Amino acid sequence: MSPRSVVVVGASLAGLSTARALRQQGFDGPVTIIGAEPWRPYDRPPLSKAYLAGAVDRASLDLSPPEEELELRWRLGVPAVALDPPAGAVRLADGSKVRGDAVVIATGAAARKLPGAARLRGVHTLRTVDDAEAVRARLLPGVRLVVVGAGFIGAEVASTAAALGAEVTVVELQPVPLGGVLGVPLGRELARLYAAHGVALLTGVGVAEVRQRAGRVDAVVLTDSRVLPAEVVVVGIGARPAVDWLAGSGLRIDDGVRCDAAMRTVLPNVFAVGDCARPEHGWTGEPTRLEHWTAAIEQPVVAVSALLRGDAAGTPEDGYRAVPYFWSDQFGVRLQFAGHLRGGEHVRAVSAEPLVAVYERLGEPVAVLAIDHPRLFGRWRRLLVP
Ligand code: FAD
């Protein structure tokens, strides 16, 4: 039987996309959205880019449609603390319960913290608009910023901060930025961008200690004993799915909420979407958790169609099978990536300047990366095979 009421946990891109898909697919019952943050859904990609640079205002981040358009019930500023599936109830931190015939989990991911340094003043992570505002307030010209981690967020923060006049050093454990994600040759290309923008990149070295004076960060001590004086530290060492609140729910948790290709979890009428979900991916052919903006829009459409089908079986085409895609804006260029890497792919440049590289497995293109070449990127993206 098709549910008559839906509770969505997580009031961000995947949660709002779920509500939108429900209305677009004809559901007219009550939809409640629970959110830990006090804010209506807002867009995160600008937090490390234009918003951090002060180039756009808070209102421009807003993702919410006009209230009357979707007729949603909001419970904001209070996190869910437990899921009680037999009762169809989500328990909130204030002791109240929200019931629904179906529950969609969209609690995203939370930034990993640097052990021992998380509470120090001047040490930040970047996941929420409040984080971005706290960092932005510190990025004055001449400030010494150490960014820990040369992943996407680290690179974007470093690039934005350097443009604002900060003195930026990035510390990365791996030999090149994003080598584990994009491969070493492309990581080397990215390293060149750091140098060209006056950002010092220290690779193959870790953080031994974050030194403090009177409760405020004073320096970052590296594992090779070098000391980097710093007024601000931004830790960009990845994110972990925000699923701790689901302990004891009976869901299968394994680097996110495991679900089938229709985003159905092991519990009836419970679905997971966005950064917190790890579905059987129809295209990659394996359980795949994505922290990509586009996945947080695409997956809810699939989940809602399964939710409204009720017990009726879907076809494989109804499952989630979009080619993974993300972009990143750093050091004045746009990086676009599509596909899925398992390791050991052969990398071939199909354009040198601007760079477009195709990753091949058994002679077939399985992924493509482009730096500032959307047209060629689009052409190769259409040719990718799983
Ligand atoms: P989230 O956006 O993480 O939202 C989850 C929401 O659930 C949050 O509001 C959280 O507070 C809430 N929540 C958590 N726990 C609970 C609970 N127990 N109860 C209630 N609510 C809860 N992707 C790209 O493809 N390209 C980019 O350039 C890019 N840039 C990014 C820059 C930054 C700074 C960040 C942080 C992300 C970026 N991303 C980018 C990733 C993209 O923003 C995410 O993939 C997307 O936000 C995922 O949406 P989501 O709704 O699944 O999760």
Side-chain angles (χ1 to χ4, degrees):
M1 210 175 72
S2 185
R4 282 161 306 171
S5 58
V6 180
V7 178
V8 179
V9 191
S12 183
L13 186 62
L16 182 65
S17 303
T18 301
R20 242 186 215 131
L22 280 163
R23 295 305 185 221
Q24 275 165 1
Q25 294 184 36
F27 181 76
D28 60 4
V31 177
T32 306
I33 302 196
I34 299 163
E37 294 179 69
W39 318 116
R40 288 285 181 90
Y42 58 85
D43 210 16
R44 289 181 207 275
L47 298 182
S48 47
K49 310 176 183 77
Y51 190 67
L52 189 63
V56 297
D57 65 7
R58 175 68 179 82
S60 73
L61 302 181
D62 222 340
L63 290 172
S64 293
E67 182 87 358
E68 63 278 11
E69 215 177 279
L70 297 179
E71 290 186 60
L72 306 175
R73 301 173 181 182
W74 298 93
R75 290 295 306 273
L76 297 176
V78 52
V81 292
L83 173 68
D84 180 9
V90 175
R91 188 149 51 81
L92 308 193
D94 63 5
S96 61
K97 282 186 177 172
V98 182
R99 284 174 209 284
D101 294 338
V103 176
V104 181
I105 298 163
T107 44
R112 287 183 197 277
K113 309 230 186 251
L114 206 56
R119 288 180 193 283
L120 225 51
R121 272 186 293 138
V123 177
H124 302 265
T125 51
L126 184 48
R127 183 80 203 177
T128 67
V129 67
D130 298 288
D131 296 338
E133 281 167 13
V135 175
R136 187 166 67 170
R138 309 281 316 164
L139 290 184
L140 305 172
V143 75
R144 288 171 299 184
L145 165 69
V146 172
V147 177
V148 181
F152 293 106
I153 305 274
E156 290 181 356
V157 169
S159 147
T160 304
L164 290 172
E167 246 180 63
V168 188
T169 304
V170 178
V171 179
E172 168 59 50
L173 208 50
Q174 300 302 318
V176 293
L178 292 169
V181 184
L182 305 175
V184 171
L186 290 163
R188 265 192 226 115
E189 286 294 320
L190 295 182
R192 288 226 291 265
L193 294 175
Y194 285 68
H197 287 78
V199 171
L201 173 65
L202 310 179
T203 56
V205 66
V207 171
E209 185 199 349
V210 178
R211 223 169 55 187
Q212 58 149 321
R213 184 176 292 167
R216 159 160 281 291
V217 63
D218 173 54
V220 175
V221 183
L222 303 186
T223 45
D224 61 7
S225 304
R226 270 179 290 180
V227 177
L228 307 174
E231 286 83 45
V232 192
V233 172
V234 175
V235 178
I237 54 173
R240 52 186 292 273
V243 292
D244 292 351
W245 69 281
L246 294 166
S249 62
L251 285 170
R252 187 166 166 217
I253 307 286
D254 166 21
D255 182 31
V257 182
R258 289 291 295 271
C259 30
D260 67 10
M263 314 309 292
R264 282 184 293 234
T265 70
V266 293
L267 298 174
N269 282 329
V270 179
F271 301 76
V273 291
D275 282 17
C276 70
R278 189 161 169 236
E280 294 294 335
H281 195 298
W283 193 81
T284 69
E286 58 191 22
T288 309
R289 190 172 73 80
L290 299 168
E291 292 182 7
H292 303 345
W293 192 89
T294 38
I297 290 184
E298 294 158 347
Q299 290 175 354
V301 176
V302 173
V304 164
S305 120
L307 183 154
L308 297 178
R309 265 199 319 270
D311 296 332
T315 66
E317 280 65 41
D318 294 325
Y320 183 58
R321 45 188 302 112
V323 179
Y325 165 76
F326 66 82
W327 80 95
S328 169
D329 297 325
Q330 44 183 277
F331 303 112
V333 298
R334 169 154 290 195
L335 228 110
Q336 291 175 290
F337 179 89
H340 183 62
L341 300 178
R342 296 203 174 89
E345 287 83 6
H346 172 72
V347 188
R348 183 165 66 90
V350 291
S351 158
E353 193 68 46
L355 180 76
V356 180
V358 172
Y359 299 74
E360 291 170 332
R361 208 181 298 130
L362 302 174
E364 300 273 20
V366 295
V368 55
L369 171 88
I371 301 181
D372 259 352
H373 203 327
R375 201 167 38 81
L376 195 52
F377 174 80
R379 210 179 301 156
W380 277 97
R381 184 182 181 176
R382 286 190 287 280
L383 298 176
L384 297 181
V385 296

